[in-house]
């Protein structure tokens, strides 16, 4: 792979970087030589399936909850509880899986998150209690909470550097997931739903026999159950694809961050074989980096945050460089310098404001759209058709974000600034309209720019942080976003005014715009 004393052999001089970063750069070169092969495309589509599940379930709860409310007689003040419970599960999941992925590795998290979603998702459609439904929704959210931070991290660590635009493109699976759920709901819920306006059977006066003509019975309202069973079945297919049909190798960048260099080299060679090619990477190449940095450290060229230590590997003892926080307390990397503190905090606030805005929009805009359609005598069938129209625009929204990040004068930063500002503006404009047609238009506009912004944000985040803390950085950012999404529906549900809800959502999104102005550009940088 090159002379270890050649400063360019691993992509940049090793004397001003940690050994772990230099090794990660060397692995980047090896993956680039192997190319974008079958293994990387399998990773991309399997992680894309995880992205799709995230919004499939979120959209499902938005679309089925009005039918659950009608059948079970859920009070309006409790309507937002299911969204808050879902968000609570997502919050805990983002925190737990975000931390675990940098401790136990990418492989276990890759499989377990989807396995949990599949297990609890299949149970939901069989439940008859609002409390039980909310309980299962929490566990579905817990599994989904790790999907975006983990899947984005995995894709970044396996694709060649010249294909990093695929990180943003990965988000195209989210609107596709929304479209799939909308199509499923459109096909099943209106056909198997109670007549609009019928009360729950629990509201009938004593002595009145419940039937489909007097109240909303379970037998006449099976559409939402069929929809949840179908989405649960798709979650099972995702788990089978990840666990049974594909062999996922641990990330070599995670392995070198843990000092497991020999395993990292074996993974790079296994990926090359899967792709039908070979790799020239040797364990000696990584060992040479340790020796070079060791000599620099001994001569006083390295900082005090790194030390040389003896480690046992493969029955042998060798020298390697250990970075402070690399073995214990890897979260300290996120606060290791004023620049990292600023980056970490701005990222957290940006995620919190983003989730605040789009969770309110996702949970309440379908309800407002249905109400405006009902006021205009629009059928349930037409209402669900409108959901699909709105979901479809997310695909070009993601593709716009994928294209913008490669434009030199725009890049990741200005793509986030512009798309978040337009997303917030669309929410404010939505508050000024009253007709169903205008509602569909501004709802679609909001979702278009939401898809653009999130595609860039989710792709930018793993690029901005080093491998040793990448999963935790992405997971904790998602955690703060999910935490905001727990509170947002509760606050919005109690405002009572659709205009107030929309201004509340739009105001949060404009905070994203301010935060994005302070984020650094990652285009062209080394992802280590």
């Amino acid at each position: 792979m090159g002379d270890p004393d050649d400063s360019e052999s691993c992509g940049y001089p090793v004397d001003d970087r940690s050994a772990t970063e230099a090794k990660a750069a060397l692995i980047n070169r090896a993956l680039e030589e192997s190319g974008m092969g079958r293994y990387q495309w399998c990773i991309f589509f399997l992680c894309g399936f995880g992205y799709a599940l995230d919004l499939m379930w979120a959209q499902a709860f938005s679309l089925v909850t009005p039918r659950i409310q009608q059948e079970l007689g859920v009070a309006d003040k409790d309507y937002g509880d299911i969204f808050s419970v879902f968000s609570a599960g997502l919050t805990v999941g983002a925190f737990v899986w975000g931390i675990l992925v940098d401790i136990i590795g990418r492989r276990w998290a890759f499989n377990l998150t989807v396995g949990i979603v599949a297990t609890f998702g299949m149970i939901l459609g069989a439940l008859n209690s609002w409390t039980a439904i909310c309980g299962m929704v929490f566990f579905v959210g817990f599994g989904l909470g790790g999907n975006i931070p983990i899947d984005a991290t995995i894709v970044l660590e396996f694709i060649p550097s010249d294909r990093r635009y695929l990180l943003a493109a990965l988000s195209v699976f989210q609107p596709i997931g929304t479209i799939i759920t909308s199509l499923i709901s459109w096909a099943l819920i209106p056909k198997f739903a109670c007549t609009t306006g019928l009360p729950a059977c629990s509201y009938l006066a004593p002595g009145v026999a419940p039937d489909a003509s007097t109240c909303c019975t379970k037998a006449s309202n099976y559409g939402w159950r069929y929809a949840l069973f179908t989405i649960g079945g798709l979650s099972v297919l995702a788990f089978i694809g990840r666990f049974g049909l594909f062999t996922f190798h641990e990330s070599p960048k995670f392995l070198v961050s843990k000092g497991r260099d020999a395993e990292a080299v074996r993974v790079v060679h296994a990926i090359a074989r899967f792709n039908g090619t070979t790799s020239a990477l040797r364990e000696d190449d990584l060992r040479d980096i340790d020796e070079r940095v060791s000599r620099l450290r001994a001569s006083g060229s390295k900082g005090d945050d790194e030390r040389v230590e003896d480690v046992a590997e493969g029955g042998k003892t060798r020298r390697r460089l250990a970075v402070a926080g690399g073995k214990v307390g890897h979260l300290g990397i996120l606060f290791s310098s004023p620049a990292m503190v600023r980056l970490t905090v701005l990222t957290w606030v940006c995620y919190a404001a983003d989730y605040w805005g789009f969770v309110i929009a996702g949970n309440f805009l379908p309800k407002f759209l249905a109400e405006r359609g009902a006021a205009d005598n629009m059928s349930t069938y037409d209402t669900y058709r409108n959901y699909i129209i709105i979901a479809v625009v997310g695909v070009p929204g993601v593709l716009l974000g994928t294209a913008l990040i490669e434009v030199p004068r725009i890049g990741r930063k200005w793509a986030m600034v512009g798309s978040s500002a337009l997303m917030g503006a669309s929410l404010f404009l939505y508050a000024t309209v009253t007709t169903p047609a205008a509602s569909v238009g501004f709802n679609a506009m909001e979702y278009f720019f939401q898809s653009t912004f999130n595609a860039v944000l989710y792709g930018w985040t793993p690029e901005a942080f080093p491998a040793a803390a990448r999963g935790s950085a992405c997971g904790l950012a998602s955690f703060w976003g999910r935490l905001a999404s727990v509170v947002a529906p509760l606050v919005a549900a109690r405002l009572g005014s659709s205009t107030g809800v929309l201004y509340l959502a739009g105001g949060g999104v404009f905070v994203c715009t301010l935060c994005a102005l302070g984020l650094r550009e990652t285009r062209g940088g080394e992802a280590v």
Side-chain angles (χ1 to χ4, degrees):
M1 292 292 291
D3 182 353
D5 288 330
D6 179 3
S7 65
E8 299 300 323
S9 64
C10 59
Y12 50 71
V14 298
D15 59 346
D16 62 357
R17 302 279 183 153
S18 75
T20 299
E21 290 178 342
K23 292 174 186 177
L26 197 62
I27 288 170
N28 282 344
R29 304 291 85 78
L31 291 175
E32 287 166 4
E33 290 172 4
S34 178
M36 187 73 187
R38 288 192 304 131
Y39 187 87
Q40 284 83 2
W41 284 116
C42 286
I43 289 287
F44 178 77
F45 283 106
L46 287 172
C47 288
F49 207 158
Y51 263 54
L53 288 178
D54 187 80
L55 281 204
M56 282 174 69
W57 281 106
Q59 179 77 345
F61 297 139
S62 293
L63 298 184
V64 304
T65 300
R67 296 303 168 189
I68 298 174
Q69 180 185 30
Q70 183 182 11
E71 179 185 326
L72 301 182
V74 178
D76 284 342
K77 67 180 180 64
D78 298 323
Y79 181 87
D81 291 354
I82 189 171
F83 305 120
S84 289
V85 169
F86 181 54
S87 294
L90 292 168
T91 302
V92 176
F95 183 84
V96 171
W97 294 114
I99 301 297
L100 282 180
V101 75
D102 285 330
I103 298 174
I104 66 174
R106 286 38 166 163
R107 184 178 182 181
W108 282 103
F110 179 74
N111 290 315
L112 288 175
T113 51
V114 174
I116 291 171
V117 173
T119 301
F120 290 97
M122 286 299 295
I123 299 173
L124 270 172
L127 302 176
N128 300 310
S129 161
W130 179 247
T131 301
I133 289 171
C134 288
M136 289 301 102
V137 165
F138 173 86
F139 288 105
V140 171
F142 176 75
L144 289 172
N147 272 5
I148 289 178
I150 289 173
D151 291 349
T153 293
I154 287 171
V155 170
L156 174 65
E157 294 184 348
F158 282 99
I159 60 174
S161 297
D162 63 351
R163 300 295 184 98
R164 273 164 49 188
Y165 62 84
L166 289 175
L167 277 173
L170 192 66
S171 290
V172 77
F173 290 95
Q174 290 192 301
I176 289 174
T178 303
I179 293 167
I180 291 171
T181 293
S182 298
L183 286 170
I184 292 169
S185 300
W186 190 27
L188 297 174
I189 296 179
K191 186 176 180 180
F192 303 99
C194 297
T195 302
T196 303
L198 281 180
C201 292
S202 58
Y203 287 169
L204 291 180
V208 178
D211 61 60
S213 64
T214 58
C215 65
C216 184
T217 65
K218 176 180 177 179
S220 61
N221 199 48
Y222 247 90
W224 68 268
R225 298 177 189 273
Y226 292 147
L228 292 182
F229 283 136
T230 304
I231 297 167
L234 292 174
S235 301
V236 172
L237 288 178
F239 176 72
I240 292 173
R242 289 190 178 204
F243 187 76
L245 302 180
F246 179 74
T247 300
F248 178 78
H249 298 287
E250 185 56 80
S251 164
K253 291 181 182 178
F254 169 79
L255 292 171
V256 297
S257 75
K258 299 298 182 182
R260 296 156 62 182
D261 293 354
E263 293 177 62
V265 173
R266 286 196 294 271
V267 168
V268 171
H269 283 269
I271 293 171
R273 285 194 301 272
F274 191 89
N275 289 342
T277 183
T278 60
S279 174
L281 181 67
R282 303 170 300 153
E283 186 181 350
D284 286 344
D285 296 319
L286 303 183
R287 183 180 298 113
D288 288 340
I289 291 176
D290 287 330
E291 295 299 331
R292 176 172 173 76
V293 178
S294 176
R295 290 194 298 271
L296 292 168
R297 177 69 179 88
S299 66
S301 298
K302 298 300 291 178
D304 294 334
D305 62 334
E306 298 180 339
R307 65 186 185 282
V308 178
E309 62 179 18
D310 292 324
V311 295
E313 184 175 306
K316 300 178 181 179
T317 301
R318 67 177 182 83
R319 307 281 288 177
R320 78 170 173 90
L321 193 76
V323 183
K327 297 184 72 176
V328 179
H330 65 279
L331 295 180
I333 296 172
L334 303 180
F335 305 96
S336 58
S337 69
M340 283 299 295
V341 171
R342 181 173 177 271
L343 173 65
T344 299
V345 172
L346 278 177
T347 303
W348 286 357
V349 176
C350 190
Y351 268 76
D354 177 38
Y355 278 60
W356 176 278
F358 81 67
V359 165
I360 292 176
N363 292 344
F364 287 88
L365 292 190
K367 184 177 176 66
F368 297 155
L369 188 60
E371 290 172 350
R372 290 171 184 178
D376 203 43
N377 296 317
M378 184 179 293
S379 69
T380 301
Y381 184 86
D382 289 337
T383 298
Y384 277 86
R385 178 207 61 198
N386 290 339
Y387 295 154
I388 296 171
I389 293 172
I390 292 165
V392 165
V393 303
V395 174
V398 170
L399 296 179
L400 174 63
T402 303
L404 288 176
I405 63 175
E406 294 301 318
V407 178
R409 294 189 178 182
I410 297 178
R412 277 74 164 159
K413 177 178 177 176
W414 292 107
M416 286 190 285
V417 170
S419 58
S420 61
L422 290 168
M423 176 184 167
S426 65
L427 285 165
F428 278 23
L429 290 171
Y430 192 106
T432 66
V433 301
T434 56
T435 65
S439 294
V440 171
F442 283 111
N443 199 335
M445 177 181 172
E446 183 278 332
Y447 191 59
F448 178 89
F449 290 114
Q450 173 189 319
S451 299
T452 302
F453 176 71
N454 285 339
V456 182
L457 178 65
Y458 296 158
W460 168 87
T461 308
E463 290 182 334
F465 295 90
R470 179 171 291 132
S472 297
C474 295
L476 288 173
S478 184
F479 163 77
W480 288 109
R482 303 298 192 183
L483 189 62
S485 67
V486 174
V487 180
L490 295 175
V491 175
R494 285 158 176 77
L495 285 180
S497 163
S498 61
T499 301
V501 169
L502 292 167
Y503 285 140
L504 185 70
V509 174
F510 280 124
V511 173
C512 293
T513 307
L514 296 176
C515 289
L517 288 168
L519 297 177
R520 66 182 181 87
E521 180 59 59
T522 58
R523 182 178 181 273
E526 187 83 45
V528 296

